[in-house]
Amino acid sequence: HVLLMASCKRNGVDEREWLSDIFDRVQGIKHKDLFKLLPSNWVKYRGQL
């Protein structure tokens, strides 16, 4: 949990926005695409999810 929040800060991602978005998406995403939900990849991929 703490590492994910630190990753958000390091990548300039709003923690609350990220958490809200991934909670909505995590159940419907394919296992092979879970890496796209990581804070370091989220900005790049969120429009494609």
Side-chain angles (χ1 to χ4, degrees), residues 3-41:
L3 292 175
L4 290 172
M5 296 299 107
S7 182
C8 283
K9 289 185 182 200
R10 190 173 341 124
N11 289 286
V13 171
D14 180 273
E15 296 98 340
R16 290 181 184 185
E17 182 182 359
W18 175 75
L19 279 172
S20 175
D21 186 65
I22 67 159
F23 283 148
D24 290 342
R25 297 177 192 267
V26 75
Q27 289 184 325
I29 196 166
K30 294 178 183 177
H31 185 264
K32 68 179 181 98
D33 292 328
L34 283 173
F35 76 96
K36 294 178 180 179
L37 297 180
L38 294 172
S40 57
N41 298 324

